[in-house]
Amino acid sequence: MVKEQSEPALADEDQLSLDLIDAQYALKDTQDQPNAKSVLVLVSGIELAGKGEAVKQLREWMDPRYLRVKADAPEMFNNTQPFWLPYARFIPAEGQIAVMFGNWYGDLLTTALHVSQPLDETLYDEYVDNMRAYEQDLKNNHVDVIKIWFDLSWKSLQKRLDNMDASELHWHKLHGLNWRNKKQYDRLQKLRQRFTEDWIIIDCEDEKSRDQQFAKHVLRALKHCPEHVKSAQHKWKQADIPAVLQQPPVEKIDKNEYKLELDKLTRKVADALRFGERNVIIALEGMDAAGKGGAIKRIVKSLDPREYEIYSIAAPEKHELRHPYLWRFWNKLQPNERISIFDRTWYGRVLVERVEGFASDVEWQRAFEEINRFEKDLSDSQTVVVKIWLSISKDEQYTRFKEREKTPHKRFKITSEDWRNREKWDEYLHAAADMFERTNTDYAPWYIIANDDKYSARLEILRSILKQLKAD
Amino acid sequence: MVKEQSEPALADEDQLSLDLIDAQYALKDTQDQPNAKSVLVLVSGIELAGKGEAVKQLREWMDPRYLRVKADAPEMFNNTQPFWLPYARFIPAEGQIAVMFGNWYGDLLTTALHVSQPLDETLYDEYVDNMRAYEQDLKNNHVDVIKIWFDLSWKSLQKRLDNMDASELHWHKLHGLNWRNKKQYDRLQKLRQRFTEDWIIIDCEDEKSRDQQFAKHVLRALKHCPEHVKSAQHKWKQADIPAVLQQPPVEKIDKNEYKLELDKLTRKVADALRFGERNVIIALEGMDAAGKGGAIKRIVKSLDPREYEIYSIAAPEKHELRHPYLWRFWNKLQPNERISIFDRTWYGRVLVERVEGFASDVEWQRAFEEINRFEKDLSDSQTVVVKIWLSISKDEQYTRFKEREKTPHKRFKITSEDWRNREKWDEYLHAAADMFERTNTDYAPWYIIANDDKYSARLEILRSILKQLKAD
């Protein structure tokens, strides 16, 4: 625990302001550079300790155009979205700084203190672990996170409450806690100590010192130059390539039988997808021309477009590259988006970005765990994740490429890039093999489906969706 | 009304697909070019007419990576947000195409048909007028809008309902209308005829012809090359510059009196801002160094940062320039954002963009009406818009610039650009004068406040907020 010495000497405020602005501009200049980073400041604390005042003061000392303050009243967890989802779109882009108060810790405390059945300690600590893991992922992806707790003794809190006027008191009451209740205060302190071990604690008895301490910690974070490690320490242990990828088995099926079964299965899938209050994410991956588009067509056959959204993932835009690579997927998730279908996914990080060298060794090697956590957080919040890899043989890809080239209205699907990727066929197979070995989890297993014969594959795709939805 | 001839000859589907893809890529290539545009397709119609099927078919004929389909179940208007707000962030960027079904017309129909007290016809028609005006604004800002109604006779609808299986029927019922009720069907037809005059109507008896007609209309829209008119037809009639801008009166105030009054007013403003369920937008404009930052500091003095959000508006980012200029402000509005403070605003269009030539004559001249509509839509949906212009004299600006240059931690506030802008002082005054004359509306009047003396100005700012909130 980092605890400030009480009563530090007051700094020259103008100098502090100048240093903050200089650091802010230096941060801004890192944008699109190799050492780029952003700074996220999480703020929580005792009511009336003065975090609001400290943030206002910070805003005056800095250039307010480049300091985003996101402040919301805490909300209770409702289990239908990961704790980070309401905040993810405000995670600052490279070169930016954001102060969030309103954040996942505030929500956790509110949830723990408010529900008639309080969170049990194991679950509470699990949340804290998940939050720390999420923050570590942010840091690894160039978002520096600092966490600052504004503390105030019971005695001072009571004194400040005595001095408030009615309308302010009224507003503060809206936040739902009774700050006159010593037991609740003690409980809050006990609870927050379960997560503030790696926080900066600011003692808020003295207002001036409080604001300056806060600003100095922000300054330190702005100036901190993390080294973006690019190369991995250890030699990578390559997984074996599964047989189904090397030579996908071809299972021919009778055309009439196929049609009957397809019709039955598309309806069954539609029913299963509609069932219940959960969300469903269907993630499709595979080599070029593996048949992802055709698969989607059959999945949504008996659905109305108002029931689902399809995301066709192309290369990231420039402004998206200023964020952690998962960010553009966080932003596509909405708590009430019932059915989302991804034509290519976040696995691009460990496939194309690995093979083409857009992600460094250490980045793609770390990504497996990051992706697992991402999917775990989703499946823990009523989202079923169905991951499908469509496997075709190299010969079949050649046939389909040639077919596309011959057909004018399909020619857009085949570019010189596809031919270039094809030359790296084995590298992609290796990448896929590693991906299966490391992201084939209980909660989000991979369904590898041989697709040289489209007909049997389509049925298999529908069956695997039913299986993952436990509707088979 | 554009009504298709029934039973047109079927086109060669492959050719249609090829044409669509070519047009799609040509559209994509306009991005960042002078002739750039986007295409927004609004789709509505009778249930089971097959708009979902037609959209799915379109997705197969086109490159799905560059076709966004946004489909939501309709929602009733709740009067706390303009009709366009839930959809604004999905308006396609230049070079893109989006199909929205789920749109404001669907919401209007749902509202008109569902409430126990139906919308009266005047209000209904007013909504339609506002929607058309909004779409015209989109078109003027390079978003082509086409609207397509999928029609189906009562008889065919009943036949299709007979042929549906139970689970689909169950899903369709969720949309809240009873499609077995002839009276309701007739009422819907009557209501939609009040807005479909400028729509394309597709008769959906025949499925194949329906899908092709739809695709052909989209193709036509993609290929349509609107000329972006740049120069205005008429000579601009310049407004007179108000005296308060030419020579802002200086009202000196006693320092002690000031402090007492400031304290009283900041609390009063906080109370007034917190009062009621409405949203408040405070928009601050003025020359460089006019004191906007200082004004904001006093406005939020007695508020907690969780109660408000401050937006400091800098020049638009490259990806924002691919949208109508109001788009980045639409995206900052949230239905439950109680208090939003803008340090510079959408008036940039008629100030800096006009003076610096970033907006063409015809663009900034049109913007006054666009902005008035924007603010009217907001004030019609429980949002109070407070617009404040801080007026300083040219001499006072000089003093403040020099002061900034002398003070190291304020130097960031003064750049060579500020000195350049100062040379265009008179042009900015002319632009401001026109702005006052044309956007000083009943629902969102301008408060012009002389700010050579900061102290009296601060009190005046707070008083004008109270006045606009009807709390003075």
Side-chain angles (χ1 to χ4, degrees):
Chain A
M1 183 159 78
V2 195
K3 175 120 185 164
E4 281 294 294
Q5 297 298 316
S6 56
E7 302 291 327
L10 291 190
D12 176 350
E13 290 196 1
D14 292 348
Q15 184 61 45
L16 182 56
S17 171
L18 183 60
D19 292 344
L20 280 164
I21 291 159
D22 283 347
Q24 202 180 3
Y25 278 71
L27 178 78
K28 198 166 164 277
D29 286 342
T30 69
Q31 195 171 76
D32 302 328
Q33 301 301 313
N35 64 336
K37 69 157 197 173
S38 65
V39 174
L40 173 62
V41 184
L42 301 183
V43 164
S44 283
I46 300 293
E47 202 70 40
L48 299 193
K51 32 187 199 305
E53 297 310 314
V55 169
K56 281 185 203 174
Q57 181 57 68
L58 183 71
R59 216 178 164 275
E60 277 164 38
W61 282 332
M62 294 178 81
D63 183 343
R65 286 171 300 176
Y66 309 114
L67 170 66
R68 179 84 197 263
V69 177
K70 186 69 196 152
D72 297 292
E75 286 194 29
M76 290 221 269
F77 290 143
N78 60 13
N79 282 331
T80 63
Q81 55 178 340
F83 64 85
W84 40 261
L85 190 53
Y87 304 101
R89 73 189 189 96
F90 303 105
I91 304 276
E94 285 177 359
Q96 295 182 347
I97 165 167
V99 178
M100 268 189 203
F101 84 101
N103 55 56
W104 37 89
Y105 290 101
D107 294 347
L108 178 64
L109 280 177
T110 304
T111 307
L113 285 165
H114 274 247
V115 288
S116 42
Q117 282 188 302
L119 277 179
D120 84 58
E121 296 198 346
T122 321
L123 189 58
Y124 184 94
D125 292 344
E126 218 172 85
Y127 265 119
V128 174
D129 287 346
N130 288 345
M131 289 170 179
R132 285 186 179 153
Y134 179 72
E135 291 152 22
Q136 188 56 49
D137 287 346
L138 287 178
K139 284 181 198 174
N140 290 339
N141 287 283
H142 311 173
V143 181
D144 251 17
V145 183
I146 63 164
K147 300 179 280 190
I148 299 182
W149 179 267
F150 285 73
D151 206 35
L152 194 65
S153 69
W154 167 254
K155 225 174 104 185
S156 298
L157 171 61
Q158 297 313 303
K159 216 166 126 193
R160 290 188 189 180
L161 283 169
D162 293 342
N163 291 333
M164 280 181 89
D165 69 23
S167 85
E168 279 180 282
L169 216 53
H170 173 76
W171 183 79
H172 275 282
K173 260 196 204 142
L174 291 180
H175 282 199
L177 290 184
N178 180 359
W179 296 98
R180 291 294 198 186
N181 181 332
K182 177 81 162 67
K183 244 174 136 172
Q184 202 173 49
Y185 173 90
D186 289 340
R187 185 156 158 64
L188 176 71
Q189 284 288 8
K190 229 183 104 197
L191 277 170
R192 71 91 179 159
Q193 276 160 21
R194 295 180 88 93
F195 63 69
T196 51
E197 210 177 295
D198 59 347
W199 286 52
I200 294 153
I201 314 279
I202 295 182
D203 185 333
C204 297
E205 301 301 319
D206 179 77
E207 292 180 15
K208 225 173 177 95
S209 133
R210 170 199 69 200
D211 294 352
Q212 292 199 0
Q213 281 183 61
F214 177 59
K216 280 191 225 159
H217 284 295
V218 170
L219 176 60
R220 202 168 302 156
L222 288 171
K223 286 171 120 172
H224 173 235
C225 290
E227 218 182 311
H228 297 336
V229 183
K230 293 287 175 198
S231 51
Q233 281 191 307
H234 303 286
K235 205 174 138 46
W236 182 250
K237 203 185 159 302
Q238 173 62 52
D240 294 332
I241 297 174
V244 59
L245 259 63
Q246 290 283 22
Q247 196 49 264
V250 180
E251 200 192 324
K252 287 276 179 200
I253 191 168
D254 172 77
K255 204 69 187 279
N256 284 328
E257 198 185 313
Y258 161 74
K259 276 191 179 154
L260 280 172
E261 186 70 6
L262 183 73
D263 195 48
K264 201 186 79 189
L265 283 172
T266 49
R267 281 157 190 268
K268 220 171 151 186
V269 162
D271 284 348
L273 287 170
R274 285 167 181 158
F275 175 80
E277 285 302 298
R278 68 183 169 209
N279 297 313
V280 182
I281 291 176
I282 300 175
L284 289 159
E285 285 287 357
M287 299 288 198
D288 293 323
K292 297 183 290 296
I296 290 172
K297 185 171 159 180
R298 272 75 196 184
I299 294 169
V300 303
K301 183 102 181 28
S302 294
L303 292 170
D304 183 283
R306 279 165 292 188
E307 297 180 279
Y308 59 83
E309 178 124 22
I310 301 172
Y311 298 99
S312 296
I313 303 303
E317 301 246 9
K318 195 169 175 187
H319 70 98
E320 293 173 325
L321 288 171
R322 295 185 188 136
H323 289 276
Y325 69 97
L326 281 177
W327 184 83
R328 63 180 178 137
F329 301 100
W330 297 338
N331 280 339
K332 290 184 173 56
L333 303 173
Q334 285 158 42
N336 298 318
E337 190 92 290
R338 292 284 322 281
I339 305 166
S340 311
I341 301 167
F342 285 86
D343 181 351
R344 300 206 184 273
T345 67
W346 42 94
Y347 283 100
R349 187 67 164 181
V350 296
L351 296 169
V352 59
E353 292 188 34
R354 168 183 176 178
V355 173
E356 301 297 332
F358 302 141
S360 69
D361 286 1
V362 73
E363 281 170 340
W364 63 256
Q365 290 177 16
R366 198 171 49 211
F368 299 110
E369 284 311 306
E370 291 168 350
I371 287 172
N372 284 343
R373 274 192 284 277
F374 170 64
E375 293 174 358
K376 177 78 163 65
D377 287 343
L378 286 171
S379 67
D380 281 347
S381 46
Q382 296 178 29
T383 299
V384 181
V385 182
V386 191
K387 303 189 300 200
I388 295 171
W389 175 273
L390 296 176
S391 173
I392 53 168
S393 64
K394 205 172 173 185
D395 289 348
E396 177 64 21
Q397 190 191 50
Y398 184 82
T399 311
R400 293 188 189 175
F401 276 13
K402 283 290 171 194
E403 176 69 25
R404 286 181 174 185
E405 285 187 332
K406 268 200 332 232
T407 316
H409 69 283
K410 288 192 173 162
R411 216 168 277 154
F412 78 95
K413 290 189 180 185
I414 177 85
T415 64
S416 53
E417 202 187 313
D418 296 323
W419 286 108
R420 272 200 306 279
N421 290 345
R422 182 175 160 79
E423 280 170 32
K424 298 184 179 168
W425 181 269
D426 288 342
E427 288 174 65
Y428 275 100
L429 276 197
H430 280 296
D434 282 339
M435 177 180 82
F436 298 133
E437 186 167 272
R438 287 165 192 265
T439 62
N440 189 40
T441 55
D442 299 343
Y443 44 90
W446 275 102
Y447 293 87
I448 304 177
I449 294 170
N451 197 22
D452 276 9
D453 181 71
K454 287 181 178 181
Y455 302 105
S456 62
R458 282 171 194 160
L459 303 181
E460 215 38 63
I461 290 162
L462 297 172
R463 286 191 198 110
S464 61
I465 294 171
L466 291 173
K467 188 166 175 217
Q468 185 65 4
L469 292 172
K470 297 192 171 53
D472 55 338
Chain B
M1 183 159 81
V2 195
K3 174 121 188 166
E4 281 293 294
Q5 296 298 317
S6 55
E7 301 292 327
L10 291 189
D12 176 350
E13 290 197 1
D14 293 348
Q15 185 59 46
L16 181 56
S17 171
L18 184 59
D19 292 344
L20 280 163
I21 291 160
D22 284 345
Q24 202 179 3
Y25 277 72
L27 179 76
K28 197 167 165 275
D29 287 341
T30 68
Q31 195 171 77
D32 302 328
Q33 302 300 313
N35 64 337
K37 70 157 196 173
S38 65
V39 175
L40 173 62
V41 184
L42 301 183
V43 164
S44 283
I46 300 292
E47 202 69 41
L48 299 193
K51 34 187 198 305
E53 298 311 313
V55 170
K56 281 185 202 173
Q57 182 58 66
L58 183 70
R59 214 178 166 275
E60 277 165 40
W61 282 332
M62 294 179 80
D63 183 343
R65 286 171 300 176
Y66 309 113
L67 170 66
R68 179 85 196 263
V69 177
K70 185 71 195 151
D72 297 291
E75 287 193 28
M76 290 221 269
F77 291 142
N78 60 13
N79 281 332
T80 64
Q81 54 178 339
F83 63 85
W84 41 261
L85 191 53
Y87 304 101
R89 71 190 191 98
F90 303 106
I91 304 277
E94 283 177 0
Q96 295 182 346
I97 164 167
V99 178
M100 270 190 202
F101 82 102
N103 55 56
W104 37 89
Y105 291 101
D107 294 346
L108 177 65
L109 280 176
T110 304
T111 307
L113 284 165
H114 275 248
V115 286
S116 40
Q117 281 188 303
L119 276 179
D120 84 58
E121 296 199 344
T122 321
L123 188 58
Y124 184 94
D125 291 344
E126 217 173 86
Y127 266 119
V128 173
D129 287 346
N130 287 344
M131 289 170 179
R132 285 187 181 153
Y134 179 73
E135 291 152 21
Q136 188 56 50
D137 288 346
L138 287 178
K139 283 182 200 173
N140 290 339
N141 287 283
H142 312 173
V143 180
D144 251 17
V145 183
I146 62 164
K147 300 180 279 189
I148 299 181
W149 180 267
F150 285 73
D151 207 34
L152 193 66
S153 69
W154 168 254
K155 225 174 104 184
S156 298
L157 170 62
Q158 297 313 304
K159 216 166 125 190
R160 290 187 190 180
L161 284 168
D162 293 342
N163 290 334
M164 280 181 88
D165 68 23
S167 82
E168 278 180 283
L169 214 53
H170 172 76
W171 183 79
H172 275 282
K173 262 195 206 142
L174 291 179
H175 282 201
L177 291 184
N178 181 359
W179 296 97
R180 291 293 198 186
N181 182 331
K182 177 81 163 64
K183 245 173 135 174
Q184 202 172 48
Y185 173 91
D186 289 341
R187 184 155 158 65
L188 176 72
Q189 285 287 9
K190 230 183 102 199
L191 277 169
R192 71 91 178 159
Q193 277 161 20
R194 295 180 87 92
F195 64 69
T196 51
E197 210 177 294
D198 60 347
W199 287 52
I200 293 153
I201 314 277
I202 295 182
D203 185 334
C204 298
E205 301 299 320
D206 179 76
E207 291 180 17
K208 229 181 172 95
S209 132
R210 169 200 69 199
D211 295 353
Q212 291 199 1
Q213 280 182 62
F214 177 60
K216 280 191 225 159
H217 284 296
V218 171
L219 177 61
R220 202 168 304 156
L222 288 171
K223 285 172 122 171
H224 173 237
C225 290
E227 217 183 312
H228 298 333
V229 183
K230 292 287 176 198
S231 50
Q233 282 190 305
H234 303 287
K235 204 174 140 46
W236 182 250
K237 204 188 159 299
Q238 173 64 51
D240 294 331
I241 297 175
V244 59
L245 258 64
Q246 291 282 21
Q247 196 50 264
V250 181
E251 198 192 326
K252 287 277 179 198
I253 191 168
D254 173 77
K255 204 69 188 277
N256 285 327
E257 198 186 314
Y258 161 73
K259 275 192 179 154
L260 281 172
E261 186 70 5
L262 183 73
D263 194 48
K264 202 186 79 188
L265 283 172
T266 50
R267 280 156 190 269
K268 220 172 152 186
V269 162
D271 284 348
L273 287 169
R274 284 167 182 156
F275 177 80
E277 285 301 299
R278 66 180 172 211
N279 296 313
V280 182
I281 291 176
I282 300 174
L284 289 158
E285 285 287 357
M287 299 287 197
D288 293 324
K292 296 184 290 296
I296 290 173
K297 185 171 159 181
R298 272 76 196 182
I299 294 169
V300 302
K301 182 106 183 26
S302 295
L303 292 170
D304 183 283
R306 281 166 290 189
E307 297 179 280
Y308 59 83
E309 179 123 21
I310 301 172
Y311 298 99
S312 295
I313 303 303
E317 300 245 10
K318 193 168 177 190
H319 70 99
E320 293 173 325
L321 288 171
R322 295 186 188 135
H323 289 274
Y325 70 96
L326 282 176
W327 183 84
R328 61 180 179 137
F329 300 100
W330 297 339
N331 279 339
K332 289 183 174 55
L333 303 173
Q334 286 159 41
N336 298 317
E337 191 93 288
R338 293 283 321 282
I339 305 165
S340 311
I341 300 167
F342 285 86
D343 180 352
R344 300 204 182 276
T345 68
W346 42 96
Y347 283 99
R349 188 67 163 182
V350 296
L351 296 169
V352 58
E353 292 188 34
R354 168 182 176 178
V355 173
E356 301 297 332
F358 301 142
S360 69
D361 286 1
V362 73
E363 282 171 338
W364 64 256
Q365 290 177 17
R366 196 171 49 211
F368 299 109
E369 283 311 307
E370 292 169 348
I371 288 172
N372 284 343
R373 273 192 285 277
F374 169 63
E375 293 174 359
K376 177 78 163 66
D377 287 344
L378 286 171
S379 67
D380 281 348
S381 46
Q382 297 177 29
T383 300
V384 180
V385 182
V386 191
K387 303 190 298 201
I388 295 170
W389 175 273
L390 296 176
S391 173
I392 53 169
S393 65
K394 204 172 174 185
D395 289 348
E396 177 64 22
Q397 189 191 50
Y398 184 81
T399 311
R400 292 187 190 177
F401 275 13
K402 283 290 171 193
E403 175 67 26
R404 286 181 175 185
E405 284 187 331
K406 267 201 333 236
T407 316
H409 69 283
K410 287 191 173 163
R411 216 168 277 152
F412 79 95
K413 290 189 179 183
I414 176 85
T415 64
S416 53
E417 203 187 311
D418 297 321
W419 287 107
R420 271 200 308 280
N421 290 345
R422 183 175 159 78
E423 281 170 30
K424 297 184 179 166
W425 181 270
D426 288 344
E427 288 175 64
Y428 275 100
L429 277 196
H430 279 297
D434 281 340
M435 177 180 83
F436 298 132
E437 185 167 274
R438 287 167 191 265
T439 63
N440 189 39
T441 55
D442 299 343
Y443 44 88
W446 275 102
Y447 294 87
I448 304 177
I449 294 169
N451 196 21
D452 275 10
D453 181 71
K454 286 181 179 182
Y455 301 105
S456 63
R458 281 172 195 158
L459 303 182
E460 216 38 64
I461 289 163
L462 297 171
R463 285 190 199 111
S464 61
I465 294 171
L466 290 174
K467 186 165 177 219
Q468 184 66 2
L469 292 172
K470 297 189 173 56
D472 56 338

